Amino acid sequence: MYTLLSGLYHYLTQKEEYYVLIIGLDNAGKTTLLERIKSIFMGVAGLDPDKIAPTVGLNIGKVDIKSSRINFWDLGGQRDLQSIWERYYTECHAIVFVVDSTDPVRLEECRDTFEKMITNDAVEGVPILMLANKQDVPGALRVEEVKEVFNKIAVKLGARDSRVLPVSALEGNGVEDAIDWLVLRLQRNKINRPPIFR
Ligand SMILES: Nc1nc2c(ncn2[C@@H]2O[C@H](COP(=O)(O)OP(=O)(O)OP(=O)(O)O)[C@@H](O)[C@H]2O)c(=O)[nH]1
Ligand SMILES: [Mg+2]
């Protein structure tokens, strides 16, 4: 009886868990975004932006959203750290690719990096959310301008959910809507990448 009841309790309280990779060139604002997500969805004050240093290892954020647990993996974007991203491709359920909209000079480098990622077989079918970050900065590229640069390789996205959205990780504008979009896509893609139950 106890086993039955505890089994039922476990069944009723278990959460679907998903893993979401946050990648993009260094200085794009990935860690700032993770801190912002934590503050919006968990109601805790995130790290002071001035205290965020370039990421060398991995930052993890566990956030409960819409009855799911989302584990965010924020990796460093420096060139010699990018090869580490691939190790997470087979296990992730979605990818957030952050673009620095104030850095037009590096947009082509950014596109090449994105292309290398989406053409990796290990992420086939995985939903991709691209964020045109730093929209709070006057003169930042608009989301349409960022999209235009990536349009040239859009065909390589294949059959998957993808979207480009404007955000400011620093001020928080657009972040909640972007993550809501992502969570729906994670749930929609369950057949291809099933969640883990804990
Ligand atoms: N104005 C503005 N600055 C931002 C925004 N997001 C991040 N930044 C700034 O951009 C710089 C880099 O932010 P990080 O979050 O460390 O960037 P990262 O992508 O994690 O960098 P790596 O860990 O090196 O890959 C910091 O000075 C942030 O304060 C934003 O939305 N607006
Ligand atoms: Mg970082």
Side-chain angles (χ1 to χ4, degrees):
M1 188 65 177
Y2 171 78
T3 318
L4 192 67
L5 284 178
S6 75
L8 181 66
Y9 177 80
H10 179 71
Y11 174 76
L12 292 173
T13 56
Q14 71 182 355
K15 268 197 163 43
E16 288 182 352
E17 283 205 37
Y18 295 94
Y19 291 89
V20 173
L21 199 51
I22 305 178
I23 54 174
L25 299 187
D26 54 288
N27 202 51
K30 301 178 291 299
T31 307
T32 308
L33 174 73
L34 177 61
E35 290 304 315
R36 176 60 58 196
I37 293 171
K38 288 199 294 197
S39 78
I40 292 176
F41 290 95
M42 293 164 65
V44 296
L47 259 185
D48 183 343
D50 295 339
K51 299 219 163 67
I52 297 175
T55 307
V56 180
L58 165 73
N59 297 312
I60 298 175
K62 288 180 191 292
V63 184
D64 292 335
I65 307 172
K66 290 192 178 53
S67 74
S68 297
R69 165 149 304 171
I70 318 289
N71 298 282
F72 290 95
W73 287 328
D74 159 39
L75 289 163
Q78 292 169 55
R79 197 183 281 263
D80 54 347
L81 298 174
Q82 289 174 12
S83 58
I84 299 170
W85 299 353
E86 292 176 15
R87 295 190 206 156
Y88 295 85
Y89 286 172
T90 44
E91 273 182 77
C92 71
H93 295 90
I95 293 179
V96 178
F97 191 91
V98 184
V99 177
D100 182 348
S101 314
T102 68
D103 193 359
V105 175
R106 293 184 78 194
L107 261 191
E108 296 221 339
E109 178 191 349
C110 193
R111 189 185 63 204
D112 293 348
T113 309
F114 181 78
E115 183 175 5
K116 192 169 172 215
M117 180 270 290
I118 55 164
T119 50
N120 188 311
D121 289 344
V123 294
E124 201 189 335
V126 169
I128 300 207
L129 170 62
M130 180 182 286
L131 297 179
N133 190 30
K134 308 196 185 181
Q135 290 296 314
D136 58 287
V137 178
L141 292 169
R142 287 175 295 115
V143 74
E144 293 77 17
E145 295 173 294
V146 173
K147 260 189 200 167
E148 213 175 290
V149 175
F150 286 85
N151 266 346
K152 294 173 191 139
I153 53 163
V155 62
K156 298 191 179 175
L157 278 165
R160 71 169 92 218
D161 277 323
S162 66
R163 186 123 197 235
V164 189
L165 290 172
V167 295
S168 164
L170 195 65
E171 297 190 343
N173 303 336
V175 174
E176 191 168 355
D177 286 350
I179 300 304
D180 282 347
W181 179 90
L182 185 77
V183 174
L184 273 177
R185 268 61 200 182
L186 286 169
Q187 292 170 345
R188 213 192 251 181
N189 196 44
K190 255 188 216 176
I191 297 167
N192 297 325
R193 295 242 169 170
I196 291 150
F197 287 94
R198 288 198 211 278

